[in-house]
Amino acid sequence: MVSISAQPYDYELPSRDRMALVIIDMQRDFLESGGFGEALGNDVSQLRAIVPALKQLLDTFRARNLPIIYTIEGHRSDLSDCPPAKLRRGKGNLKIGDKGTMGRILILGEPGNEIIPELHPRDNETVIFKPGKGAFYNTDLETLLQKQSITHLIITGVTTEVCVQTTMREANDRGYECLLVEDATASYFPKFKQATLEMVRAQGGIVGWTTSTNNILEALKEYIMQSDRQKIQSNS
Ligand code: C5J
């Protein structure tokens, strides 16, 4: 059994392929100028600080053929999947569905709705399109995880206290073992990120665990070695 050094205590990795890297909403709408994040008055540039850590995790999962799941928050072009309450919120200079410099704000298929180029999904990787903040609401994420027998989720992306935290809570209630990656998640409000990390790991890990990218990469090295060894033994 391999463990990742984490808070509030070590996170035990399951057998190979039972864990997935979950990358939440790393889309241009939240990270680039002219999108939803900026329309709500945020300084979007600060979210880019997590891109190098995310890329390291992504490269490692890809190199080892471990499951990767991306999410994108967005709505149908007729907004039929956007509750009026969500549409009214924010009171920014542009609202969901309005035309911005990257196409219509938070609408599926528009340029602003794409994942940033550095992390762009490959054709064989899973993308969940979600109309809500949580990735389980009105999506087939749970069915997909069950089909692949995935029990452990390594959670990353933006924004920490909104879509990331909502997804993590939804996953936790469904019995998934969730590990939030501290330097691979970001918020427009650093104090909200900090509060979220503390909330997750408080009370003995009431929502899950938190750790750093380095701790994951270190543990994965050992994990891969062990599972390669087991494969060789079972083939001999
Ligand atoms: C927000 C998200 N903040 N991905 N979405 O509206 O966190």
Side-chain angles (χ1 to χ4, degrees):
M1 183 65 80
V2 174
S3 302
I4 298 178
S5 171
Q7 291 192 60
Y9 54 91
D10 288 358
Y11 177 87
E12 285 187 358
L13 287 173
S15 62
R16 200 183 169 116
D17 297 351
R18 290 207 162 214
M19 66 174 167
L21 175 67
V22 181
I23 303 179
I24 297 182
D25 298 358
M26 288 298 290
Q27 57 203 70
R28 298 179 66 202
D29 264 321
F30 295 116
L31 283 108
E32 291 185 17
S33 184
F36 189 51
E38 193 177 76
L40 294 174
N42 298 302
D43 168 11
V44 293
S45 65
Q46 51 186 331
L47 301 193
R48 292 200 60 83
I50 64 170
V51 174
L54 253 171
K55 185 87 178 76
Q56 272 187 303
L57 288 168
L58 187 56
D59 289 346
T60 303
F61 272 67
R62 277 178 174 162
R64 293 294 170 174
N65 271 330
L66 296 170
I68 300 163
I69 298 168
Y70 299 81
T71 71
I72 289 181
E73 182 179 349
H75 296 279
R76 296 189 194 125
S77 58
D78 63 2
L79 295 174
S80 56
D81 58 352
C82 183
K86 181 174 179 182
L87 203 52
R88 279 195 302 269
R89 292 289 169 72
K91 309 255 182 265
N93 54 2
L94 291 172
K95 61 180 192 333
I96 298 170
D98 286 350
K99 194 138 180 56
T101 54
M102 294 191 288
R104 292 178 66 206
I105 299 276
L106 229 58
I107 298 296
L108 299 173
E110 294 286 335
N113 208 233
E114 280 173 16
I115 292 178
I116 58 168
E118 298 94 316
L119 305 173
H120 211 272
R122 292 184 177 162
D123 288 345
N124 63 338
E125 292 169 349
T126 304
V127 182
I128 298 284
F129 297 97
K130 62 184 187 59
K133 302 304 179 194
F136 288 83
Y137 170 69
N138 253 347
T139 71
D140 55 8
L141 177 57
E142 194 167 12
T143 310
L144 186 135
L145 294 174
Q146 283 169 353
K147 260 196 196 145
Q148 297 186 27
S149 304
I150 291 170
T151 52
H152 286 57
L153 304 177
I154 313 287
I155 299 182
T156 64
V158 297
T159 60
T160 316
E161 77 284 8
V162 186
C163 292
V164 172
Q165 180 167 216
T166 305
T167 299
M168 195 162 173
R169 288 176 183 273
E170 286 180 331
N172 185 53
D173 279 348
R174 286 167 172 78
Y176 294 95
E177 309 273 19
C178 299
L179 177 63
L180 178 57
V181 191
E182 295 150 8
D183 52 340
T185 182
S187 168
Y188 301 121
F189 305 91
K191 66 180 180 190
F192 291 173
K193 169 175 168 174
Q194 190 52 35
T196 303
L197 297 177
E198 285 169 26
M199 277 189 268
V200 163
R201 58 198 181 210
Q203 303 179 79
I206 200 155
V207 183
W209 290 257
T210 78
T211 193
S212 65
T213 297
N214 269 346
N215 285 346
I216 295 178
L217 297 179
E218 274 304 304
L220 279 182
K221 264 191 229 153
E222 175 60 28
Y223 178 80
I224 301 294
M225 267 187 333
Q226 276 195 18
S227 73
D228 285 353
R229 235 181 276 134
Q230 274 162 10
K231 254 194 202 157
I232 292 166
Q233 275 165 4
S234 63
N235 287 339
S236 63

